[in-house]
Amino acid sequence: MNLTHPPTKPSFFQFFIYWLKLGFISFGGPAGQISMMHQALVEDKRWISEHRFLHALNFTMVLPGPEAQQLATYIGWLMFGIRGGLVAGVLFVLPSLFILSTLTWIYLTYGTLNEVAGILYGIKPAVTAIVLFAAYRIGSKALSNPVLKVLAVLAFIAIYQFHIPFPYIVVIAASIGFLGAKLSPNTFTVGAHHGGSKNSYGVALIDDHTPIPDHAKFKWSNFFSFLIIGVVLGSVVLSLLDNKVLHDMGEFFTKAALVTFGGAYAVLPYIYQGGVEQYHWLSATQMMDGLALGETTPGPLIMVVAFVGFVGATVKEIFGAESMLLAGFAGASVATFFTFLPSFLFIFLGAPGIEATRGDLKFSAPLSAVTAAVVGVIVNLAVFFALATLYHNQQIDWIATTITIVAFIALFRFKIGIMSVIAVSAMLGLGVSMFSDLLV
């Protein structure tokens, strides 16, 4: 392989096949998916350089919504324009919608069985390990100097100890990056401390200094066209939902997509509050089980909204008691559509401006600071998962704790795949359940 020349540009069919495959294997939440994309697109295929990959990632980190899906949309748009962005973004989500809907139906039908409970018991502590590993993977790229590491620690303290909302943390971190760029430019230079992508992986198709393609250049006419199309499309679909439950879901998940920052990790408390406490679409236990199911399926972790929509539409019997499966899939589809529509809109509206300012430190430095803060937020989520999973009735669950430790070692030390870790953890949970039954 010649690393001194860029690879041949893939055909649109090859591009399509890659994202279709990724849609079926992208397990492990945003960190796992971002790692998969980095390995395939930066290291193996060399479709995009690490510097530009991280720049796109930093932008998606400050947006409301699922950063991994938005990153896929961004890269697809950069390579093939609007059709590339739509293909990458849709295929990142579509397999998960069908798989998770099927699993949710099985869960609702057989969820009281000890076998299902045992599998979920094993998966939940593995989720804690996966989130911890996510913080490590993102942090190893983003926290390239002591200043950024301190920012991550402060963000963790702010959200864990003082319960400061994530949007405020984003604003503070961005302000620090903006000021820091003037006082110490090298500290907040994107990718400055990771080594050039040429030295690490070879020359990329879209390399550090590759000119911006014509379709990616900012134009006000394109900006307003996408804005109008997005708003009209969302409004028309919402107006067609004459069922009150589905209409409520459309409005709620649109709000969730617009007002919650930090990706799936930060949006979960908002969805919990709305789905469990406000609309009573599901119980708190079902919400935790849905999160565990979300980790077992490919696609963004925010696809837990499909679980919420499926359960909610089924519980409310929106199409009557005889059409539960149809009702559930309708609820899952509505939740998914309104959660991801704004994500596409944010990329198509904002990415041209981000590409135009890629070399401007006063824009890139705040994004680097925000990425550092996000690492602290992810660690906070890991603590939340750990307390909910490993600590019951004021006692440590040593079996679940052991699964978490072993899962983390498998991911960190032995580089075992996320899906393999989830599968083994599920089998361990099933074994614990069956052994407990024998003792009773």
Side-chain angles (χ1 to χ4, degrees):
M1 181 184 297
N2 189 345
L3 300 181
T4 60
H5 295 283
T8 303
K9 183 175 181 178
S11 67
F12 191 74
F13 178 75
Q14 292 172 319
F15 173 86
F16 179 94
I17 292 299
Y18 166 74
W19 292 108
L20 179 62
K21 177 184 176 183
L22 185 66
F24 281 98
I25 65 171
S26 57
F27 295 91
Q33 292 145 7
I34 290 168
S35 295
M36 287 182 184
M37 283 189 280
H38 184 275
Q39 182 175 349
L41 303 180
V42 177
E43 301 175 29
D44 298 337
K45 299 179 182 295
R46 293 187 291 133
W47 286 354
I48 186 170
S49 71
E50 181 170 26
H51 175 82
R52 296 186 81 151
F53 182 92
L54 288 174
H55 185 71
L57 174 61
N58 289 342
F59 171 53
T60 63
M61 287 289 189
V62 304
L63 294 176
E67 62 269 26
Q69 186 268 348
Q70 290 167 338
L71 178 62
T73 305
Y74 190 114
I75 295 174
W77 163 82
L78 194 58
M79 293 186 67
F80 283 100
I82 298 302
R83 63 172 182 160
L86 289 173
V87 163
V90 170
L91 291 181
F92 200 85
V93 172
L94 202 58
S96 181
L97 172 61
F98 289 102
I99 294 171
L100 189 56
S101 294
T102 301
L103 289 177
T104 305
W105 174 250
I106 294 172
Y107 166 80
L108 290 175
T109 306
Y110 303 106
T112 56
L113 293 180
N114 289 338
E115 290 80 1
V116 176
I119 290 173
L120 292 176
Y121 174 81
I123 290 174
K124 289 177 183 179
V127 170
T128 303
I130 290 169
V131 176
L132 283 171
F133 187 62
Y136 164 75
R137 288 298 299 265
I138 295 177
S140 64
K141 294 291 183 183
L143 308 182
S144 53
N145 60 66
V147 173
L148 295 177
K149 291 176 182 177
V150 169
L151 267 179
V153 172
L154 292 176
F156 171 76
I157 295 173
I159 196 168
Y160 179 79
Q161 185 65 36
F162 299 103
H163 308 290
I164 296 176
F166 185 72
Y168 295 152
I169 295 176
V170 167
V171 172
I172 294 170
S175 301
I176 292 173
F178 181 78
L179 295 175
K182 298 180 180 180
L183 300 175
S184 179
N186 289 334
T187 301
F188 296 93
T189 300
V190 180
H193 305 277
H194 302 300
S197 57
K198 297 180 183 63
N199 296 332
S200 301
Y201 311 115
V203 179
L205 183 65
I206 302 177
D207 210 54
D208 293 357
H209 303 293
T210 301
I212 302 173
D214 289 338
H215 69 261
K217 294 179 179 177
F218 182 84
K219 297 177 182 178
W220 281 111
S221 57
N222 290 343
F223 180 90
F224 286 113
S225 296
F226 289 132
L227 181 62
I228 293 171
I229 291 172
V231 172
V232 169
L233 180 61
S235 300
V236 168
V237 174
L238 188 63
S239 68
L240 294 175
L241 299 176
D242 54 0
N243 180 276
K244 185 180 186 309
V245 173
L246 294 180
H247 193 275
D248 287 342
M249 286 183 178
E251 290 184 344
F252 173 74
F253 288 112
T254 298
K255 293 176 184 176
L258 292 174
V259 305
T260 52
F261 293 80
Y265 293 140
V267 74
L268 291 175
Y270 183 86
I271 295 175
Y272 176 92
Q273 184 181 36
V276 176
E277 299 175 1
Q278 181 179 356
Y279 292 104
H280 307 290
W281 291 327
L282 73 172
S283 68
T285 300
Q286 288 176 324
M287 185 70 189
M288 285 298 295
D289 291 341
L291 184 59
L293 283 176
E295 283 289 357
T296 68
T297 55
L301 182 57
I302 193 62
M303 283 303 294
V304 70
V305 302
F307 177 88
V308 175
F310 195 108
V311 175
T314 302
V315 168
K316 300 296 184 181
E317 298 183 355
I318 61 172
F319 297 147
E322 301 300 322
S323 303
M324 304 299 279
L325 180 58
L326 178 62
F329 188 72
S333 299
V334 167
T336 301
F337 177 83
F338 284 98
T339 297
F340 286 95
L341 177 62
S343 293
F344 286 99
L345 198 57
F346 289 141
I347 296 300
F348 294 151
L349 291 176
I354 293 299
E355 280 297 304
T357 60
R358 185 169 50 85
D360 193 332
L361 189 60
K362 68 175 179 287
F363 290 100
S364 61
L367 296 181
S368 296
V370 168
T371 304
V374 167
V375 175
V377 174
I378 295 175
V379 174
N380 170 71
L381 181 70
V383 173
F384 170 78
F385 283 167
L387 291 175
T389 304
L390 312 180
Y391 195 71
H392 299 290
N393 300 322
Q394 299 183 337
Q395 289 184 334
I396 296 175
D397 185 335
W398 289 108
I399 296 177
T401 301
T402 301
I403 293 175
T404 299
I405 295 172
V406 172
F408 184 83
I409 293 174
L411 292 165
F412 179 78
R413 177 67 179 85
F414 298 102
K415 315 299 181 186
I416 296 175
I418 289 173
M419 191 53 199
S420 298
V421 171
I422 291 175
V424 172
S425 299
M427 292 302 100
L428 287 174
L430 180 60
V432 170
S433 174
M434 294 176 65
F435 183 72
S436 299
D437 290 341
L438 291 175
L439 294 179
V440 174

